[in-house]
Amino acid sequence: SLASTAVTCFTRGLDLRKETEDVLCPANCPLWQFYVFGDGVYASLSSVCGAAIHSGVITSAGGAVRVQTLPGQENYPAVNANGIQSQVLTRWASSFSVTRTKNTALEAVGRAVSTARPSTGKRPKKPLDKKAGNKDCKADIAFLIDGSYNIGQRRFNLQKNFVGKVAVMLGIGTEGPHVGVVQASEHPKIEFYLKNFTAAKEVLFAIKELGFRGGNSNTGKALKHTAQKFFSLENGARKGIPKIIVVFLDGWPSDDIEEAGIVAREFGVNVFIVSVAKPTTEELGMVQDIGFVDKAVCRNNGFFSYQMPTWFGTTKYVKPLVQKLCSHEQMLCSKTCYNSVNIGFLIDGSSSVGDSNFRLVLEFISNVAKAFEISDIGSKIAAVQFTYDQRTEFGFTDYTTKEKVLSAIRNIRYMSGGTATGDAISFTTRNVFGPMKDGPNKNFLVVLTDGQSYDDVRGPAAAAQKAGITVFSVGVAWAPLDDLKDMASEPRESHTFFTREFTGLEQMVPDIIRGICKDFLDSRQ
């Protein structure tokens, strides 16, 4: 039949209504603008004409194509063919295939034209590692969108467009930001998790498919639910990556949001509020709590709140919001004691310790280190062994994963020799903590010794504390209590530990961890 439906360059499989449909693709569609997913069998999100060129049914000169609807499948592959790079899609609900139509008259015309003028559809160079995403933007983000009657269906769609633009500009990828969406209405609904998609295209389509729920805007309830349930490791949250909730609010919440803000901060989540259409003077009487923004955000310092006058013309607001979401050093609420400390261990390697006790010391250090989230943007560990001499076993930046740190601790070899603890403290302050002094983490030094030092410890320890290092002293066997107290930070009682036997070190592990966390929290107040 000659009855072909004329389509545009961007008509997708899912835009066609019949099981089998003959379409006529226009000429000179820009190849690089095609979204095509799969190879041979294409996800119905794909452009029909793009798929037809990709599979070689037509050229960029256009022509007639028969489109056959097929069931959905998993793992549509990415294949580069005929100037079009198709993309991976994990799964989609329906597919289609493309074949030549039997309409040879149209085909002949199409072919004649195509030999006459070669395609100019040049594809711009893509960055090589598209899948990895923007590695400089470290974030796991939940977009908490407003699905209440406050916003209504039309503005809900504008909100989806805005969130989609933000998602694309973030540079989502396996090593870049990951995002999910929660819809707040009467009851919160997690629409998709961080682990569901790692490509911007997939996220965009998932956002497009979201349906409007309606109901009261119980933002507080949704925020609390998201802080508690969304960021689990099994749902795709990554260790050491800042957790962020971006709350979109049209007007004001119907419920109390203050408690939810507190819960989010306890869970180490950074809350941003994007408020659109602030309540007017007449409406203020209906708002439960006028200061709702200040109470919910991570810190009331202006950084975490963002205002847009309306949902129209929001494009210019995309980039500044993305820049905020990507500045991980500003994510004050991510900083818990477990991911924001540098702990240096100063280990007595003198001959009185002995080989088997030295192993117990290393075990003690491993068990303390194990409790922390070690990464290039998280906590860091260093170790120095001393006798009369000092040896840096590893510095803070040598190993950035827990596995590597623990294996480095296991591989420390026992030196054996004298005991110059004061010198060792000075050496560690200068060489190990020195390079870290302007970093964001809080610095701790744990000194382990089993005996009297041959030199003065008080001066070097005071200098370390003056340099911003909190010192814990751990003494075993013959270590004199006066030395231990002279080294420890104030209040000395809670920073000084002692055990008769090396086997007693194990019981101290939780107390040391708790001490570090208490000091960390006190320093943030």
Side-chain angles (χ1 to χ4, degrees):
S1 75
L2 274 173
S4 292
T5 315
V7 293
T8 72
C9 299
F10 304 111
T11 304
R12 302 175 299 177
L14 50 77
D15 299 326
L16 301 177
R17 290 286 158 257
K18 301 186 206 141
E19 285 287 293
T20 307
E21 193 155 345
D22 288 341
V23 301
L24 190 55
C25 287
N28 300 325
C29 289
L31 295 191
W32 54 271
Q33 282 187 7
F34 281 132
Y35 284 152
V36 178
F37 300 86
D39 182 36
V41 174
Y42 300 95
S44 62
L45 292 169
S46 310
S47 148
V48 174
C49 300
I53 295 174
H54 183 266
S55 64
V57 170
I58 56 171
T59 66
S60 57
V65 178
R66 176 161 289 172
V67 184
Q68 175 72 47
T69 304
L70 300 169
Q73 60 172 46
E74 299 204 340
N75 302 326
Y76 294 90
V79 174
N80 198 330
N82 301 314
I84 292 180
Q85 172 68 57
S86 78
Q87 311 197 40
V88 173
L89 191 60
T90 343
R91 65 171 62 87
W92 198 254
S94 58
S95 317
F96 65 85
S97 63
V98 282
T99 48
R100 291 195 168 80
T101 57
K102 301 295 165 275
N103 187 338
T104 41
L106 272 169
E107 287 289 76
V109 174
R111 198 156 298 125
V113 174
S114 73
T115 46
R117 38 174 316 208
S119 149
T120 55
K122 285 202 187 64
R123 213 182 144 71
K125 285 274 185 289
K126 277 222 165 147
L128 281 174
D129 208 349
K130 190 79 195 318
K131 283 201 187 69
N134 177 8
K135 296 181 191 167
D136 295 333
C137 183
K138 300 265 196 260
D140 280 343
I141 303 171
F143 290 115
L144 181 50
I145 62 174
D146 189 337
S148 69
Y149 291 135
N150 266 3
I151 192 169
Q153 177 78 60
R154 182 176 181 215
R155 295 203 303 261
F156 180 77
N157 288 337
L158 293 171
Q159 173 182 228
K160 289 203 306 189
N161 291 346
F162 180 75
V163 172
K165 284 178 190 162
V166 172
V168 169
M169 191 173 260
L170 278 166
I172 294 164
T174 49
E175 298 174 52
H178 290 180
V179 307
V181 170
V182 183
Q183 186 173 165
S185 53
E186 197 67 46
H187 304 292
K189 175 172 188 247
I190 295 180
E191 302 281 5
F192 58 91
Y193 286 102
L194 295 165
K195 65 173 178 195
N196 294 122
F197 308 109
T198 53
K201 300 287 170 336
E202 298 182 6
V203 168
L204 256 186
F205 293 125
I207 291 172
K208 285 208 173 87
E209 301 290 305
L210 295 178
F212 173 60
R213 291 171 69 80
N216 279 322
S217 60
N218 288 333
T219 314
K221 185 176 178 182
L223 177 55
K224 189 171 170 185
H225 180 76
T226 308
Q228 290 170 326
K229 301 279 189 289
F230 182 85
F231 294 101
S232 65
L233 293 174
E234 57 271 23
N235 288 331
R238 296 167 291 175
K239 278 211 167 101
I241 302 279
K243 307 180 192 38
I244 298 173
I245 300 177
V246 184
V247 180
F248 290 94
L249 241 178
D250 187 295
W252 60 90
S254 320
D255 62 350
D256 173 50
I257 198 168
E258 183 171 11
E259 189 209 346
I262 293 167
V263 170
R265 290 190 284 276
E266 280 173 357
F267 275 85
V269 176
N270 300 276
V271 176
F272 282 78
I273 292 204
V274 177
S275 46
V276 183
K278 278 199 313 200
T280 61
T281 327
E282 301 85 71
E283 290 169 333
L284 277 176
M286 299 155 72
V287 183
Q288 272 195 33
D289 182 352
I290 296 172
F292 68 83
V293 171
D294 296 345
K295 291 183 176 158
V297 289
C298 159
R299 287 279 193 287
N300 183 10
N301 59 3
F303 182 75
F304 294 94
S305 47
Y306 198 66
Q307 274 168 0
M308 302 196 297
T310 76
W311 286 109
F312 296 97
T314 52
T315 309
K316 62 173 176 292
Y317 293 99
V318 174
K319 195 174 177 187
L321 180 58
V322 167
Q323 283 168 338
K324 282 180 185 250
L325 299 180
C326 289
S327 33
H328 67 250
E329 67 291 344
Q330 301 272 359
M331 299 300 161
L332 302 175
C333 291
S334 300
K335 301 206 182 300
T336 63
C337 93
Y338 297 107
N339 65 21
S340 307
V341 295
N342 299 324
I343 307 172
F345 292 96
L346 185 52
I347 310 160
D348 184 341
S350 60
S351 35
S352 51
V353 176
D355 241 341
S356 59
N357 286 337
F358 190 74
R359 292 283 120 214
L360 291 174
V361 170
L362 295 185
E363 217 163 284
F364 165 80
I365 293 170
S366 290
N367 288 333
V368 173
K370 222 180 256 165
F372 294 86
E373 292 168 28
I374 300 162
S375 78
D376 56 343
I377 59 170
S379 289
K380 298 178 175 58
I381 308 287
V384 173
Q385 187 179 173
F386 71 97
T387 53
Y388 281 140
D389 215 2
Q390 306 85 29
R391 181 170 81 199
T392 302
E393 302 291 354
F394 56 92
F396 285 121
T397 51
D398 291 342
Y399 303 109
T400 54
T401 68
K402 192 177 294 191
E403 295 66 47
K404 286 185 176 153
V405 164
L406 295 177
S407 115
I409 293 171
R410 275 196 302 277
N411 291 326
I412 293 176
R413 298 280 158 263
Y414 174 45
M415 283 163 77
S416 188
T419 315
T421 316
D423 254 2
I425 294 174
S426 300
F427 171 88
T428 308
T429 303
R430 190 173 58 246
N431 298 321
V432 178
F433 285 97
M436 308 304 286
K437 78 171 186 304
D438 298 323
N441 289 1
K442 185 160 170 51
N443 292 315
F444 292 89
L445 175 63
V446 179
V447 182
L448 288 116
T449 177
D450 83 324
Q452 171 91 50
S453 175
Y454 296 120
D455 59 2
D456 166 60
V457 295
R458 187 177 295 181
Q465 291 167 31
K466 204 172 159 199
I469 303 166
T470 303
V471 182
F472 284 87
S473 58
V474 179
V476 190
W478 305 106
L481 204 56
D482 289 349
D483 269 11
L484 296 175
K485 284 211 166 120
D486 282 346
M487 290 188 284
S489 288
E490 299 282 353
R492 300 192 175 206
E493 279 54 54
S494 60
H495 290 83
T496 308
F497 293 83
F498 178 78
T499 170
R500 266 282 147 246
E501 305 288 335
F502 281 89
T503 47
L505 284 171
E506 202 182 340
Q507 284 97 319
M508 289 182 189
V509 171
D511 298 330
I512 299 273
I513 296 165
R514 224 172 285 137
I516 289 172
C517 284
K518 184 179 184 315
D519 286 347
F520 175 80
L521 285 170
D522 292 347
S523 75
R524 316 273 309 168
Q525 296 313 323

